[in-house]
Amino acid sequence: MQHKYLVNEIARFFNVTRDTIRYYDKLGIIKPNINKENKYRYYSREDLISFSYVFLLKKLGLHLKSIEALLNHSSLETSVSILNNRKKEIEDALNELNRTKDMIDDYGKYLVNVYGNMNEINIVNNIFILYQIINQDVHTFNMIIKQFEGLQLNKIPLFTFCFEKEAFLSNQFTSVMDSRYYSKFAMSIKVEEKDILNEEKLHEFLIFKSEKCLFTTIKFHTNKDYSAADRLRNYIKENNLIVDGMVLYRAISFRNNIIDNQDYYEVYIPLK
């Protein structure tokens, strides 16, 4: 093995650019020797070994500042501490990725349900939904999202229209958009009550809790066709069902098309 290596030789050895090697020199990670006669920069065999260490640490995702400290200034105890800090960063990142994956799974279930059960009407039991009314003075959108994150349930909050039963059953309810004067905007998550581990945080939310609930998924053609809401209201009247509280329209998906906008909702109607 040779004893001196030029910049381009080090670069070829580790399959990186010469600029990378020069950048490490600039940062003081590994500085070359300089030939006094021709001013060429060269590295020793020991430097070659150090470069292998640098690229190993870089593979572990360490910042160059930490690599420089590990290589040139730290004790073994400090090295262990730096590696443990990196391990903690990875664990936090994995937890966040798993949380995001859980939220994708949660949202995916709603999409699959809408796709496979459009307009089917079912009576379901023991529905538990946490929601928070959007209010620009008290509860902004971002504030509400953070409140839900504090529950650590990994559920995706959905935009929700909240209708008092009188407004929902009245003739004023001709469309979701027209009825905005009779509804409140909210964000909501549907959960199992038993999954809430931090009950102290429940006081931060409003609770939709129904032992018996009419559930369906419907589609609106925005500004054109809201007949699905009429059919739902007629079904309740024809079957002599008694609405027993606030009605929730939870927005699942939107198709923003200038010709044919479509909105998809799941609907929860509490019954006596």
Side-chain angles (χ1 to χ4, degrees), residues 75-100:
S75 63
L76 289 178
E77 290 81 4
T78 302
S79 297
V80 170
S81 176
I82 290 174
L83 288 178
N84 283 338
N85 288 339
R86 176 57 185 155
K87 181 179 177 181
K88 178 65 166 53
E89 289 178 355
I90 293 172
E91 289 172 345
D92 290 344
L94 286 174
N95 288 336
E96 183 61 25
L97 285 173
N98 284 327
R99 175 178 168 277
T100 302

Side-chain angles (χ1 to χ4, degrees), residues 11 39 64 87 90 110 117 119 121 128 148 194-195 197 200 222 257 265:
K39 306 301 181 183
L64 291 177
K87 181 179 177 181
I90 293 172
Y110 292 119
N117 301 289
N119 295 322
I121 295 177
F128 193 83
F148 281 121
K194 62 180 176 60
D195 292 335
L197 301 179
E200 293 182 359
T222 312
N257 183 300
Y265 294 86

